[in-house]
Amino acid sequence: MTEVRTRFAPSPTGYMHIGNLRTALYAYLIAKKNNGKFILRIEDTDQERYVEGAIDVIYNTLKLVGLQHDEGPDIGGPYGPYVQSQRREIYSQYAKKLIDIGGAYYCFCSKERLDALRQECERKGIPFKYDGHCRNISREEAEERIKRGEQYVIRQKIPATGTTSFHDEVFGTITVSNDSLDDNILIKSDGMPTYNFANVVDDHLMKITHVVRGSEYLSSTPKYNLLYKAFGWEIPTYIHLPLIMKPHGGKLSKREGDASFEDFYNKGYLKEAIINYIALLGWSPGTDEEIFTLEELKQRFSIEGLSKSPAVFDINKLRWMNGEYIRSMSLEEFNELAMPYYKKAIKRQDIDYMKLSRLLQTRTEVLGEIPDNIDFIEELPDYDVNMYANKKMRTDLNNSLEYLKKAYEALQGVDKWDDEHIHEALFKLIAELGVKNGQVLWPVRTAVSGKQFTPGGAIELSSLLGKEETLRRIKIGIEKLSNV
Ligand code: GLU
């Protein structure tokens, strides 16, 4: 059996789009499930789009998420070079060969002529299509003109009549009429190939068996198929992946911070959760299961589970999944991961971070939100006194003041400052006063945090802050309430 070989062929754009990472993941999984090879190829023929450091972004992201390639620019392999800009000679040879066998031709049309043609199409309201002006220039004439120094490109010669069919594993069999296809440029005037040519030559020479890519390439695939046929090359298995849309339509966009892996990673989404989530953007295991490690995905992934309907990128689902990963960690692991976020908000030395982690682990969905949730630990915010009044807790500004004063006294008498003893003191007070728990706990929680929403209640927060600081903050609360 032939070895399964897939490739990830990103263009160095400077960031890893979520859709590209999904392509990489699926290509990786298809290779690994079949004990095959996963190849990394850099598609940098569009030199105008060159971005400094962009290739490192690709290496670093793949490494970080664990999609280790078996061949690629940095590790070599039998079919290199794996960077397209280093393969110019190869494309040029194959383009000439294609001209020899009648699958391509030299085109000398000037920019002005093409612009005029484009305008004409626009006026008529039809999509631009090259009119075949140079299709029938003889080989001799073409070579003569090139010798004279005329600028040229090489175009694909699409059959004028008939249809082209290809099969895609996800989208089924697609047939198009050849007259709807454009004689695309294969080699540009600067000698660089276009994606349209390079992808076919490379996939063939690198022995790629399964071409996995986004469905935006689906409409060009008939042209690629014609190239394979013209060369007499074996056609790979095509696997085009569905679009990824936002819940209310539209594409994910870098500007809105919802398109790149880095955006999510830097916000404090775990790499495992991101990978797990994007695995399900277009693939389903056929059951209700949703949590998969990369190892599990290697076993479970199957081409049959791919869907052609657009996948919806649901940030709430990703948040939930991230929370699931956070909750499944050990406390120590969570504490270590959360530490950089703690340090952003807290400079005080006397905080028991394990205690804080115990509070936060079950309440955190995205690590990046930790600093805002715990900023009150460092410094009591200047809060609105009306926060003490809470209908549900049956508190108003008067009873809050009264119970807060009592709580102050009760807490002053606590010798061993921990959850258990603080709990004992406050509940004893609640019993003595004969009030609802919330009538004492809400004012205390408000006084120690100054916030509506906190990770933990009055007892946990007081315990975390320490006796002195807790009493200091309650005193501030009493003063605030007294001045109303
Ligand atoms: N270089 C293309 C891109 O970044 C890859 C297309 C493909 O996978 O063939 O979109």
Side-chain angles (χ1 to χ4, degrees):
M1 230 175 74
T2 39
E3 179 182 60
V4 168
R5 291 173 59 85
T6 64
R7 88 298 192 274
F8 177 46
S11 303
T13 56
Y15 66 99
M16 181 68 78
H17 193 280
I18 284 291
N20 277 3
L21 187 59
R22 181 192 60 173
T23 301
L25 173 65
Y26 287 8
Y28 172 83
L29 293 173
I30 291 168
K32 294 300 142 186
K33 171 138 194 207
N34 296 290
N35 299 315
K37 295 262 160 50
F38 173 59
I39 288 100
L40 174 63
R41 178 172 81 223
I42 303 295
E43 302 208 324
D44 62 344
T45 56
D46 195 350
Q47 298 281 327
E48 275 167 31
R49 279 170 53 199
Y50 181 79
V51 182
E52 187 76 32
I55 299 185
D56 289 331
V57 172
I58 297 169
Y59 291 143
N60 295 341
T61 311
L62 292 182
K63 188 155 185 211
L64 185 68
V65 298
L67 303 182
Q68 178 59 53
H69 49 284
D70 301 296
E71 296 168 26
D74 51 341
I75 50 174
Y79 304 103
Y82 293 90
V83 178
Q84 286 188 331
S85 59
Q86 295 166 17
R87 299 172 62 82
R88 277 170 81 130
E89 256 320 293
I90 301 175
Y91 307 123
S92 149
Q93 274 171 27
Y94 279 95
K96 296 219 169 84
K97 202 165 159 186
L98 195 63
I99 294 176
D100 288 340
I101 56 182
Y105 58 95
Y106 293 109
C107 168
F108 300 92
C109 288
S110 64
K111 187 176 172 300
E112 290 70 36
R113 179 170 191 278
L114 293 173
D115 283 347
L117 199 60
R118 202 162 277 126
Q119 275 170 16
E120 197 184 312
C121 289
E122 235 166 69
R123 215 180 35 245
K124 289 187 189 153
I126 54 174
F128 171 75
K129 190 169 170 250
Y130 179 65
D131 63 356
H133 186 69
C134 296
R135 254 175 99 109
N136 298 317
I137 295 176
S138 72
R139 187 71 186 258
E140 294 69 36
E141 184 189 336
E143 275 164 11
E144 190 54 38
R145 289 171 75 168
I146 292 168
K147 237 187 252 155
R148 285 205 305 264
E150 264 193 65
Q151 287 266 3
Y152 67 92
V153 299
I154 297 177
R155 286 186 186 271
Q156 184 174 0
K157 194 181 245 175
I158 303 275
T161 57
T163 58
T164 297
S165 288
F166 68 95
H167 181 76
D168 180 84
E169 290 296 313
V170 179
F171 287 83
T173 298
I174 295 178
T175 303
V176 299
S177 147
N178 289 338
D179 65 12
S180 71
L181 302 174
D182 194 13
D183 281 358
N184 268 152
I185 295 177
L186 303 179
I187 303 283
K188 296 180 274 191
S189 55
D190 63 0
M192 274 291 192
T194 56
Y195 169 79
N196 292 325
F197 191 51
N199 93 86
V200 171
V201 172
D202 287 347
D203 285 342
H204 169 71
L205 293 177
M206 295 178 183
K207 297 199 160 34
I208 302 304
T209 57
H210 296 65
V211 169
V212 184
R213 64 184 164 216
S215 57
E216 65 270 29
Y217 292 97
L218 202 57
S219 62
S220 302
T221 301
K223 288 181 280 199
Y224 310 149
N225 219 54
L226 285 167
L227 288 173
Y228 282 103
K229 282 198 181 145
F231 280 118
W233 293 341
E234 193 175 332
I235 289 164
T237 300
Y238 294 119
I239 300 167
H240 286 91
L241 307 178
L243 290 173
I244 303 177
M245 309 294 286
K246 290 199 269 203
H248 303 296
K251 286 191 191 162
L252 301 181
S253 70
K254 174 99 177 77
R255 239 198 11 234
E256 288 171 38
D258 60 5
S260 84
F261 170 79
E262 297 79 24
D263 287 341
F264 290 105
Y265 189 65
N266 294 336
K267 280 182 204 161
Y269 287 87
L270 306 173
K271 54 186 198 286
E272 294 84 359
I274 301 174
I275 286 292
N276 189 157
Y277 182 64
I278 64 175
L280 299 172
L281 285 177
W283 171 78
S284 153
T287 65
D288 291 342
E289 292 161 281
E290 291 185 304
I291 303 295
F292 296 100
T293 63
L294 189 58
E295 271 315 303
E296 286 161 348
L297 286 170
K298 278 193 214 171
Q299 312 301 324
R300 297 291 295 277
F301 194 80
S302 69
I303 297 172
E304 296 74 50
L306 291 171
S307 155
K308 65 179 171 190
S309 20
V312 176
F313 190 94
D314 178 355
I315 187 70
N316 290 323
K317 185 80 188 272
L318 174 58
R319 285 182 68 94
W320 167 81
M321 196 171 269
N322 206 55
E324 287 292 295
Y325 273 83
I326 286 177
R327 283 186 284 282
S328 70
M329 288 176 192
S330 70
L331 183 64
E332 287 71 22
E333 273 177 293
F334 175 74
N335 190 59
E336 203 182 313
L337 266 178
M339 196 54 75
Y341 298 93
Y342 293 163
K343 297 280 162 139
K344 269 189 201 167
I346 302 177
K347 303 277 173 283
R348 296 173 45 178
Q349 301 296 322
D350 57 342
I351 293 298
D352 179 345
Y353 285 110
M354 279 304 239
K355 210 175 216 176
L356 182 58
S357 286
R358 228 169 272 131
L359 289 181
L360 284 176
Q361 185 173 10
T362 51
R363 294 174 166 89
T364 301
E365 284 189 326
V366 183
L367 295 170
E369 292 170 1
I370 290 179
D372 279 351
N373 289 335
I374 62 166
D375 54 1
F376 69 92
I377 295 176
E378 180 69 16
E379 203 180 330
L380 180 68
D382 183 20
Y383 60 94
D384 179 357
V385 73
N386 290 311
M387 271 169 55
Y388 282 101
N390 184 314
K391 243 195 188 136
K392 208 168 123 221
M393 298 294 170
R394 309 232 192 134
T395 58
D396 55 35
L397 302 189
N398 289 325
N399 66 12
S400 287
L401 176 60
E402 187 190 337
Y403 302 146
L404 207 51
K405 280 181 178 166
K406 295 253 180 340
Y408 186 88
E409 283 162 27
L411 290 171
Q412 244 182 343
V414 175
D415 289 329
K416 195 161 181 288
W417 195 260
D418 58 19
D419 288 40
E420 190 191 328
H421 291 88
I422 297 169
H423 184 278
E424 197 181 289
L426 291 179
F427 275 82
K428 195 166 149 236
L429 174 65
I430 289 166
E432 277 168 15
L433 293 170
V435 296
K436 296 250 171 224
N437 297 350
Q439 289 179 300
V440 169
L441 299 179
W442 178 262
V444 171
R445 191 173 75 100
T446 304
V448 298
S449 70
K451 285 189 112 173
Q452 261 328 328
F453 302 101
T454 52
I459 294 160
E460 290 118 327
L461 297 185
S462 300
S463 160
L464 189 72
L465 287 166
K467 183 169 178 179
E468 200 184 317
E469 180 66 8
T470 300
L471 292 176
R472 189 182 75 83
R473 292 184 179 198
I474 293 179
K475 209 170 199 169
I476 294 174
I478 293 171
E479 273 161 30
K480 261 185 188 281
L481 285 160
S482 309
N483 292 332
V484 186

